[in-house]
Amino acid sequence: MFKKIIALTTTPLILASVAFAQDSLITALAQNNQTSFVKEANHFKGLGWDKILNQAKKSSNVMVGEEHFTNEVPFFVSKLAEQIKFDNFFCEIDPFTAHIFEQKIKTLSADALKKYTADYGNTFSFYAFESEFDLLKQLIKNNTNIRGTDQILLVADRLICNELMQTTKNKRAKAIYEAIRDQSKNHFAAFLKDQKNPFYLYTDDFEKKITELATLPLSPNEKKIIAALKLTAKIYKSQNHHLRIQLMKNQLMERYSEWANKKNLYKYGANHAAKGESLLQIFDIGNLVNNVADSQFTNSMHVIIVGKSGLQASPFPGFPAEKIDENSGILKSLKPFLKLVQNKEWQCFDMLPLREAISSGKIKDTDVRLLRIIKGFDLLVVIPEVTAAQFPKS
């Protein structure tokens, strides 16, 4: 009995000691492969930035896995796009919204674009934020194609149906599109006042209208969009993450001929962007890009970028920004790296030596998510302090 008590009390201590030793080894390896860079005025300077650029220039596919809703990440991506000409920019929006963005930015005057974003900006997903929308404008100005690979945003039924109203040849369809647009706007306004109110896409009335649209004689493009709206509602209602990832990969491969053997930039949540198994335990779009690049005898570069402290915006206007907690989520797993971030310089960690340490058995029995990050990303970029992204001022 006494031996059992001793075993019960010492086992947690041994496990804690092993975990501490593993974290210490990871920190030591990270420190040996750490470079820094600084943001000066409107550009970056330093060995860390040089390392990022050199690797990005050598890679046919550059994937940035981010923590959303800050100003610093779109700035980082914009600086990459200033130094490297990309043919395509893949992002976490749907292909129809991506096309609308391109057309509006290319054709509207500055004043007309400002008015349009004031009217529909809250349907733009991440690109509702000023810094994110500025990134899109920069990319489009540089003739980079904007390509969406996601389901339609929960409130973007309004955006898309407004466009369909302008082009449809079917009078009944036009009336339905107008009704969806207006109902979606009203439901979203009600949600912002009280989060107990549902988005229109969740309602029986939305489903009824989409079902009727599917019976009408419409153009092939309209039919495709209606099918996408129907699938979007299914994904949201069922919270089926696997189905969402299937759609993202399907839409990427649907346009394969347009991006194969081109220079491509990707910007997704860090959960989606790993080379291997994602941080949500599924083989996601990052894994697909890695495999496609490999099949073309090239390579993909995967960067995860996080803020150690600061503020992260809410996706909804009028809601307060959230303080970043170093002891939760991805940051909790990255503690062996974060302890090396002590000043205002941005830090870049090369993950290859740590991957080799995993392969050789030196790193083991550590946080599973940390292992996925080390195996799934080539570089880790840590920003000491981030600021919350801002919606454009009215």
Side-chain angles (χ1 to χ4, degrees):
M1 183 66 178
F2 181 73
K3 290 181 179 179
K4 287 182 179 180
I5 293 172
I6 293 294
L8 287 171
T9 55
T10 58
T11 298
L13 295 175
I14 293 170
L15 292 175
S17 177
V18 170
F20 178 79
Q22 286 288 292
D23 282 359
S24 298
L25 174 59
I26 292 169
T27 298
L29 286 168
Q31 189 170 31
N32 291 336
N33 295 280
Q34 175 183 9
T35 49
S36 62
F37 58 108
V38 293
K39 180 183 175 185
E40 288 186 353
N42 201 39
H43 64 278
F44 288 122
K45 181 179 179 181
L47 293 177
W49 181 241
D50 293 342
K51 185 180 189 70
I52 293 164
L53 278 182
N54 288 336
Q55 288 200 28
K57 287 175 181 178
K58 295 174 184 176
S59 301
S60 56
N61 295 275
V62 176
M63 178 164 281
V64 177
E66 65 173 356
E67 291 288 278
H68 301 305
F69 310 129
T70 71
N71 290 309
E72 285 69 24
V73 175
F75 180 82
F76 174 86
V77 176
S78 75
K79 296 301 113 177
L80 276 178
E82 278 184 8
Q83 298 294 321
I84 302 168
K85 173 64 177 75
F86 291 99
D87 299 303
N88 299 292
F89 175 65
F90 291 92
C91 52
E92 214 170 323
I93 56 175
D94 69 89
F96 316 108
T97 297
H99 178 71
I100 291 169
F101 285 165
E102 274 197 315
Q103 295 308 305
K104 300 301 180 186
I105 291 171
K106 284 180 178 179
T107 61
L108 295 181
S109 67
D111 287 343
L113 184 61
K114 186 175 181 181
K115 182 180 185 307
Y116 184 79
T117 55
D119 291 340
Y120 286 94
N122 58 16
T123 69
F124 287 4
S125 187
F126 309 112
Y127 300 95
F129 295 105
E130 197 162 27
S131 54
E132 299 278 9
F133 199 65
D134 286 344
L135 171 62
L136 283 187
K137 289 191 284 188
Q138 174 193 337
L139 290 164
I140 290 169
K141 183 179 178 180
N142 291 341
N143 296 316
T144 299
N145 299 306
I146 309 301
R147 302 196 183 279
T149 59
D150 208 344
Q151 86 271 32
I152 296 166
L153 184 68
L154 195 56
V155 295
D157 49 353
R158 176 165 77 93
L159 174 77
I160 287 169
C161 285
N162 180 67
E163 294 300 312
L164 291 174
M165 276 179 59
Q166 321 303 322
T167 58
T168 187
K169 305 298 183 183
N170 188 294
K171 290 184 178 180
R172 177 56 186 158
K174 183 173 183 177
I176 297 174
Y177 294 143
E178 183 176 14
I180 292 174
R181 180 196 67 178
D182 295 345
Q183 285 295 326
S184 178
K185 181 178 182 180
N186 293 339
H187 277 70
F188 187 40
F191 168 83
L192 292 178
K193 291 178 181 177
D194 183 352
Q195 286 71 66
K196 293 178 182 177
N197 293 316
F199 294 98
Y200 181 60
L201 188 137
Y202 283 124
T203 65
D204 292 339
D205 190 61
F206 175 85
E207 185 174 355
K208 180 180 176 182
K209 285 182 167 56
I210 290 296
T211 300
E212 183 179 354
L213 282 168
T215 68
L216 300 176
L218 302 174
S219 69
N221 185 55
E222 285 176 88
K223 290 180 180 178
K224 185 174 183 179
I225 293 173
I226 290 160
L229 282 165
K230 187 175 182 180
L231 180 57
T232 289
K234 181 179 179 180
I235 290 170
Y236 277 116
K237 287 178 179 179
S238 64
Q239 292 294 296
N240 190 330
H241 181 66
H242 181 219
L243 181 58
R244 181 191 175 204
I245 302 310
Q246 285 180 301
L247 174 62
M248 291 171 73
K249 293 190 286 190
N250 177 272
Q251 294 192 137
L252 179 66
M253 295 308 295
E254 186 179 25
R255 310 299 288 271
Y256 176 73
S257 63
E258 298 172 17
W259 60 271
N261 301 310
K262 299 289 180 65
K263 189 76 172 181
N264 304 307
L265 176 63
Y266 306 77
K267 179 174 171 287
Y268 289 83
N271 286 331
H272 301 289
K275 286 185 168 187
E277 189 177 25
S278 82
L279 307 189
L280 296 178
Q281 302 177 50
I282 193 171
F283 289 98
D284 211 309
I285 199 161
N287 175 253
L288 177 58
V289 168
N290 180 51
N291 278 297
V292 168
D294 194 49
S295 75
Q296 296 169 340
F297 303 98
T298 61
N299 69 298
S300 57
M301 171 190 171
H302 298 242
V303 181
I304 180 170
I305 179 167
V306 300
K308 181 183 178 184
S309 66
L311 294 174
Q312 198 170 19
S314 164
F316 301 118
F319 286 57
E322 184 177 346
K323 188 175 181 180
I324 288 174
D325 182 3
E326 193 177 329
N327 295 306
S328 68
I330 292 174
L331 295 184
K332 184 177 180 181
S333 296
L334 289 172
K335 273 186 175 294
F337 294 88
L338 298 185
K339 64 179 65 175
L340 297 170
V341 182
Q342 302 293 342
N343 51 40
K344 296 297 183 182
E345 293 183 333
W346 294 35
Q347 301 298 324
C348 175
F349 298 95
D350 188 342
M351 296 299 213
L352 179 57
L354 286 99
R355 282 209 294 272
E356 291 174 345
I358 293 172
S359 297
S360 66
K362 291 179 182 177
I363 295 176
K364 55 187 176 182
D365 299 326
T366 191
D367 182 289
V368 174
R369 181 161 51 188
L370 178 56
L371 289 176
R372 289 195 182 105
I373 292 171
I374 294 171
K375 291 178 180 180
F377 294 93
D378 301 294
L379 299 174
L380 163 65
V381 174
V382 181
I383 308 166
E385 184 177 8
V386 293
T387 56
Q390 300 293 312
F391 292 102
K393 295 178 181 178
S394 301

